[in-house]
Amino acid sequence: MNNTTPEHKRLEENYSEEKDWLKWGSYVSERQWGTVREDYSANGDAWNYFPHEHARSRTYRWGEDGIAGISDRYCNICFGVSLWNGKDAILKERLFGLTGPQGNHGEDVKELYYYLENTPTHSYMKQLYKYPQKAFPYAKLVEENAKRNRTELEYQLLDTGVFDNDEYFDVFTEYAKGDNEDILIKITVNNKSKKAAPLHLLPTLWIRNYWDFKEMPKKPKIEKQTQNGSPFVKVEHCYVGDYNLYFEEAAELLFTENETNMESVYLAKNDHPYKKDLFHKAVTSNDYKLATKRTEGTKFSPLYKLNLKGGESKTIRLRFTKETLENPFNDTFDTLFDTRVAECEDFYTATIGEVQHKEIQKQALAGMLWSKNYYNYDVEQWLLGDSKASVPAKERLSGRNNSWKTLRNHDIMLMPDAWEYPWYAAWDSAFHCVTMALVDANFAKHQLLLFTKEWYMAPNGQIPAYEWNFSDVNPPVQAWATLNVYKTDKEQTGKGDLRFLKKMFNKLALNFTWWVNQIDGSQNNVFEGGFLGLDNIGVFDRSHGVPGGGTLEQVDGTSWMALYCLNMLEISLELALHDDSYDDMAIKYFGHFVFIAEALNKLSLETEGIWDEEEGFFYDKLLFPNGKSASIKIRSIAGMLSIAAVLCIRKETLEKLPRFNHAVQWFKNHRMKTLKYPVVQEYADGDDLLLSLVPKDRLKRLVNVLLDEKEFLSPHGIRSLSKIHETPYNVDINGVNYSINYEPNESTTSLFGGNSNWRGPVWFPLNYLFIQALKEYHSYGGDSLKFEYPTGSKNKLSLKEISVEISKRLISIFEKDKDDNRIVHALHKDIYAREGFKDLILFYEYFDGDNGRGVGASHQTGWTSLVANLIDEINKKE
């Protein structure tokens, strides 16, 4: 890899602390309303406590939101784009969407926007927002979705007709850093219609409100200044410092305060009229007297009244900088922009090459980088409230997240999605880091380390899940991500970061112990764990106990723990090669993995195991209080996860670690006498060692099912539920019937709000795990392990070849076909065939198990950005 581009040099300057290139970035969330952080209700009803309707008038406590926004890393000073088309009832300051209760499949953003460019230091960023020229159909979107049930499609913005005849604006927002605290801004508006159309453009600068909630040394302000007869504004902030915002000549200069309009929200008296929603009132009523009366405030915007002819384009330039500039828009402005655009292209050429699917990779990576958001949540302070504001209801002290008083988040996080999931989820973030390592391994490492810090991880070792319930249990993939990030970084630099590996290992050992103590209720190495991130994959909600008061021995819980064991073992071995004191830990995790594998496979004398020999599959087992048990015979990705726990240890490693090698020999000899554990049984001294949760004979049966197009293998990846469940599976538990059926797209069940579905669609993260596992099996068995692909085709391929073929099926979701259509946009292919849409890609949360169309959150460039890794790995092979 070429690490000599200007962007690589900026990264080096940043992480050597020579220059803070990451002080400013795309850190403003796309939704702060309706979040748990802003919920001070007694009953935990976040959606209704702070709705979209309040957002324009009411001050946030824990963050900010905006369109194409940027801020400093602590969200003190923010900048974003506001718009008005002359017909809307409200000023467009933030993205609109349905709440969880409103949507027929849960929360859903109802806007059209695309992340086009972003570099790791945010030296160049570009976002596209498509704004209708007709009145934005707020009410129609709410009303039509309310009419629809869970079996019907969601009603999207493109379905409303507001983009017919190309009657919309393309609003491109671009940022280029002249220096680490000198940000050049271009907002380009294209009238895509053939007719002239008006647009009010408000590039908005505002200061996050702390002063209403806690004491500050001095209230910040934005104040009008004049230089050579031209106005600009100066920002004074006691935490961030002083900055200037320069802008081209505007029709009006608007000032107000980022403070709650008590009259609008609470029908109470205001202490002054300069409130958060003043710009909204001024623009929509065409009355600017109050908004232009003052020359200072904590929210400011120059107003541009554009009237664009059909096809016309207009660019507005601004500059936000620490410097005092005589001529902020001289020739160097455009030159700097052109330079940063070229450097962005050079960076991606050096990083991913001039390869097929480069544009897919770039947009996936841009989306991930745009989803780096500031996240602030001090749970103890949140529970107690702020003395300067109001004291929350006492019910909150025993409500959501009350046991997480040590959690204090105040960082830039890789969000799954800046609108639908504007909060981290522990296992989502792990997958994000694996992709982030492609472009900024240091950020990925820092992000993983954050989750193990004492202000994140609970004292008992639990990693917080997500803000709706930090105590929920997400799959333990942090060790897996640690290894992947370590290996990517080592490949890029030629040297492994052992310090990072040690720090992660030490803290993950605490988390591993928490898992063992909390989730293995019967102490038999078969784990429970609840929903484990797979929301509605079972016949009942696994996070709220088991019907009949029993326990559920979960294949996925046990598989995740086996994978966790192997990840910790692999980290131990890597560290032991440099420090033999880690030998003991390698032996510990090796032994623990053997015990888990024995328990799962019914290979011990004490347990019955959860393998069904007749059907050739692992099924969850329900244990009742009376000692009876029953298998829950769902052929899902939860049972298939068992094949993901695999590790090939090279003979060279074994030779270098004689103590560990001796322990392997002991296990081989000792366990063979009693249990005949098959993986150890296969091991011959002087050869590589394969550790697999699934013995070879069972592996063959499972892989045949995995590659069966009538079961798991879809045209576009691995389904989360076997297609055989098109005939519903039913089970009677204590006289109550529970059922599950194959649903390839949107969920028809209300579990977890109904906004995700593990009952049939294709999800990228688990597909990526399976692809890695197949490669690992191949690294041990080589071409001796061949399977029909697809099952029944008589076309035999090695597991390495199969991994590539599955990758290609996943990538095909985003490719253009012979008719220039992308499968991901199948529901609106006519619109995406248009000139203004055809090169734009959305990276959804998951994909239809039959046809591959995008489903769920439309901007899940968190874990779906793993497509960039798949493309990278295929290109390296080719």
Side-chain angles (χ1 to χ4, degrees), residues 34-36 38-51 99 101 400 468:
T35 60
V36 167
E38 301 298 337
D39 175 22
Y40 282 77
S41 68
N43 62 351
D45 186 358
W47 287 118
N48 289 315
Y49 181 79
F50 203 133
T99 68
R400 177 179 285 130
W468 290 88

Side-chain angles (χ1 to χ4, degrees), residues 54-60 64 206-213 219-220 256-262 265 270-278 294 297-299:
H54 283 188
R56 64 177 174 272
S57 305
R58 186 171 161 189
T59 303
Y60 296 126
E64 292 290 342
W206 73 99
I207 297 172
R208 180 183 172 195
N209 187 334
Y210 278 119
W211 56 91
D212 279 344
F213 301 99
K219 181 181 175 181
T256 192
E257 300 290 342
N258 184 19
E259 296 176 4
T260 297
N261 186 332
M262 301 297 289
V265 179
N270 284 320
D271 54 349
H272 61 75
Y274 299 97
K275 297 300 180 180
K276 181 178 178 179
D277 55 10
L278 181 57
R294 293 175 58 180
T298 50
K299 183 177 178 181

Side-chain angles (χ1 to χ4, degrees), residues 475-712:
V477 290
Q478 284 72 32
W480 171 85
T482 296
L483 277 166
N484 277 269
V485 169
Y486 172 81
K487 291 174 183 177
T488 298
D489 184 41
K490 186 176 182 179
E491 182 182 346
Q492 292 172 349
T493 63
K495 184 179 180 181
D497 188 346
L498 295 174
R499 185 169 181 269
F500 159 71
L501 208 56
K502 287 180 179 180
K503 292 177 76 171
M504 285 300 299
F505 180 82
N506 292 338
K507 287 296 187 71
L508 287 173
L510 299 177
N511 179 247
F512 184 91
T513 303
W514 175 84
W515 265 86
V516 171
N517 290 334
Q518 296 291 321
I519 310 301
D520 181 12
S522 57
Q523 297 294 301
N524 65 355
N525 290 304
V526 178
F527 293 83
E528 295 128 44
F531 89 110
L532 287 172
L534 307 185
D535 300 358
N536 59 6
I537 202 164
V539 290
F540 51 80
D541 186 346
R542 302 190 304 180
S543 66
H544 287 91
V546 175
T551 58
L552 185 69
E553 293 188 337
Q554 295 176 212
V555 185
D556 54 338
T558 306
S559 300
W560 286 124
M561 284 304 290
L563 178 63
Y564 201 170
C565 265
L566 291 182
N567 296 149
M568 294 297 279
L569 167 57
E570 189 174 358
I571 294 172
S572 302
L573 293 173
E574 179 71 10
L575 293 173
L577 291 172
H578 304 273
D579 181 347
D580 63 8
S581 65
Y582 284 88
D583 271 0
D584 289 341
M585 296 306 292
I587 295 167
K588 176 262 185 293
Y589 286 111
F590 170 75
H592 203 139
F593 172 77
V594 171
F595 301 144
I596 292 174
E598 289 172 351
L600 187 76
N601 286 284
K602 194 182 176 182
L603 295 169
S604 75
L605 299 177
E606 298 84 12
T607 68
E608 295 183 1
I610 48 181
W611 171 259
D612 188 304
E613 180 62 30
E614 182 180 346
E615 299 191 17
F617 207 80
F618 287 107
Y619 294 123
D620 289 354
K621 179 175 287 187
L622 196 55
L623 305 178
F624 297 106
N626 63 6
K628 293 183 178 180
S629 65
S631 289
I632 307 297
K633 295 193 174 184
I634 302 171
R635 296 171 81 84
S636 76
I637 211 164
M640 194 61 73
L641 264 170
S642 54
I643 69 174
V646 56
L647 173 65
C648 178
I649 303 174
R650 297 297 179 194
K651 59 183 179 182
E652 294 83 4
T653 299
L654 294 169
E655 290 169 358
K656 292 176 182 177
L657 301 172
R659 288 187 66 245
F660 176 76
N661 197 9
H662 176 75
V664 171
Q665 294 285 355
W666 181 89
F667 264 88
K668 172 189 173 183
N669 297 330
H670 177 72
R671 307 307 282 186
M672 272 190 69
K673 293 176 184 176
T674 55
L675 308 174
K676 298 185 178 179
Y677 177 56
V679 171
V680 177
Q681 182 183 345
E682 288 182 359
Y683 170 63
D685 191 20
D687 289 343
D688 295 341
L689 169 63
L690 181 73
L691 298 177
S692 169
L693 185 58
V694 182
K696 183 183 286 187
D697 60 331
R698 295 179 181 178
L699 173 68
K700 289 178 179 178
R701 297 181 72 180
L702 283 173
V703 171
N704 283 330
V705 173
L706 183 75
L707 304 181
D708 189 338
E709 292 182 315
K710 297 188 295 294
E711 291 222 37
F712 285 93

Side-chain angles (χ1 to χ4, degrees), residues 821-878:
N821 296 319
R822 299 182 203 270
I823 292 165
V824 62
H825 299 312
L827 288 182
H828 301 101
K829 66 179 182 180
D830 291 342
I831 293 176
Y832 278 92
R834 295 185 199 169
E835 188 62 35
F837 284 83
K838 66 179 184 179
D839 293 325
L840 304 174
I841 307 174
L842 292 176
F843 297 87
Y844 283 79
E845 183 180 3
Y846 51 106
F847 303 88
D848 190 294
D850 290 338
N851 61 39
R853 72 168 173 89
V855 187
S858 56
H859 289 75
Q860 234 282 10
T861 37
W863 61 17
T864 299
S865 61
L866 284 165
V867 68
N869 298 71
L870 295 176
I871 293 170
D872 184 66
E873 290 160 18
I874 285 180
N875 286 325
K876 284 178 180 175
K877 287 180 176 60
E878 295 177 348

